[in-house]
């Protein structure tokens, strides 16, 4: 069983995918973290994220792996833990041009397909149901309005979880900056030539703007049960 969850930045894909995988005993594949890891490698190596050839070389050479510890799932880049680093504002702003490069996507899709070769995975990203696993048994397109997504991301940056605490607050100025960054990223992701953000024709659409985490997870699991 392969469950593909796509959607824009901040829509809750990672949280939902992780919860669904845990409840169904499937492997969680965070593809977005892989593009973020490549972005970290470029930023730390002084590579211009708009230099397609140089960034592709970085993507082809780096080794990205997932693990677990007391924090949950971890991400390593060439053997170094970058779980926290990949979620910084600098990476947020640079990851779209990196992920838009055809060579980078080819390198990451190859790794993703290898990780999902055994089946029984929940994968999330922006082109999972359309490019990476077009034959996935269940495809979800998870959306939320930009304001809701910005709030969740701002709360996350402060070490809290809006999915678990509906009353969680964040710094207003930081939230406004995140909103601007998200709107900009939405435009880049949906208009890029290589694997643009879009819903697969057979995807189930879920708008999580006013739904709790439990509501969304329950809906996804219901679709999985229908497909079995």
């Amino acid at each position: 069983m392969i469950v593909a969850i796509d959607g824009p930045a901040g829509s809750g894909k990672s949280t939902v995918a992780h919860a669904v995988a845990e409840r169904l005993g499937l492997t969680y594949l965070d593809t977005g973290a892989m593009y973020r890891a490549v972005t970290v490698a470029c930023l730390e190596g002084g590579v211009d994220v708009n230099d397609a050839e140089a960034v592709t070389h970085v993507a082809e050479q780096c080794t990205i792996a997932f693990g677990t510890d007391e924090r949950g799932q971890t991400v390593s880049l060439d053997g170094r833990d970058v779980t926290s680093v990949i979620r910084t504002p600098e990476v947020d702003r640079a990851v779209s041009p990196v992920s838009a490069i055809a060579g980078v996507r080819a390198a990451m899709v190859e790794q993703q397909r290898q990780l999902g070769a055994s089946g029984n995975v929940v994968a999330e990203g922006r082109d999972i149901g359309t490019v990476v696993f077009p034959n996935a048994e269940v495809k979800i397109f998870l959306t939320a309005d930009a304001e809701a997504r910005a709030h969740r991301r701002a709360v996350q940056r402060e070490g809290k979880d809006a999915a678990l605490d509906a009353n969680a607050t964040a710094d207003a100025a930081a939230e406004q900056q995140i909103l601007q960054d998200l709107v900009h990223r939405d435009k880049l992701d949906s208009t890029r030539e290589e694997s643009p953000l879009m819903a697969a024709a057979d995807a189930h659409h879920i708008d999580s703007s006013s739904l709790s985490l439990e509501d969304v997870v329950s809906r996804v699991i219901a679709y999985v049960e229908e497909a079995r």
Side-chain angles (χ1 to χ4, degrees):
M1 170 69 70
I2 295 181
V3 181
I5 302 179
D6 291 306
S11 58
K13 301 185 301 296
S14 297
T15 303
V16 171
H18 186 274
V20 169
E22 187 174 68
R23 294 195 193 183
L24 296 179
L26 305 177
T27 299
Y28 168 47
L29 177 56
D30 184 354
T31 63
M34 298 174 74
Y35 289 100
R36 286 175 172 273
V38 173
T39 303
V40 169
C42 290
L43 294 176
E44 293 183 345
V47 175
D48 182 352
V49 296
N50 294 299
D51 184 335
E53 183 176 351
V55 176
T56 295
H57 180 72
V58 170
E60 292 173 342
Q61 297 300 312
C62 68
T63 300
I64 301 166
F66 296 102
T68 57
D69 65 12
E70 66 279 358
R71 295 169 296 175
Q73 180 160 287
T74 59
V75 183
S76 66
L77 171 64
D78 296 328
R80 179 171 64 92
D81 189 314
V82 292
T83 307
S84 299
V85 181
I86 64 172
R87 303 297 175 186
T88 61
E90 292 76 18
V91 174
D92 280 354
R93 287 189 282 270
V95 68
S96 280
V98 168
S99 61
I101 296 171
V104 173
R105 300 203 71 81
M108 293 300 99
V109 168
E110 180 179 352
Q111 288 195 42
Q112 290 156 17
R113 286 176 175 162
Q114 290 175 354
L115 290 168
S118 61
N120 296 322
V121 302
V122 179
E124 60 90 2
R126 286 168 180 73
D127 62 353
I128 307 305
T130 55
V131 176
V132 183
F133 298 121
N135 296 319
E137 289 87 343
V138 178
K139 299 176 185 177
I140 305 293
F141 194 73
L142 184 62
T143 60
D145 62 57
E147 289 76 12
R149 290 185 284 131
H151 176 69
R152 293 169 184 169
R153 186 61 58 82
V155 168
Q156 180 186 51
R157 292 254 176 89
E158 295 190 6
K160 295 175 284 188
D161 191 340
L164 302 177
D165 181 5
N167 297 313
T169 59
D171 179 76
E175 188 167 325
Q176 184 60 36
Q177 181 59 57
I178 291 171
L179 175 59
Q180 293 177 15
D181 290 343
L182 282 178
V183 171
H184 179 62
R185 186 173 179 190
D186 285 350
K187 183 177 181 180
L188 290 176
D189 289 348
S190 60
T191 59
R192 69 191 182 204
E193 292 185 9
E194 186 68 25
S195 301
L197 169 65
M198 61 183 295
D202 53 347
H204 300 286
H205 291 248
I206 300 176
D207 187 330
S208 69
S209 300
S210 58
L211 298 177
S212 68
L213 172 61
E214 181 58 35
D215 289 335
V216 178
V217 171
S218 294
R219 292 189 185 191
V220 175
I221 291 178
Y223 289 129
V224 172
E225 295 302 329
E226 287 178 7
R228 283 179 165 172

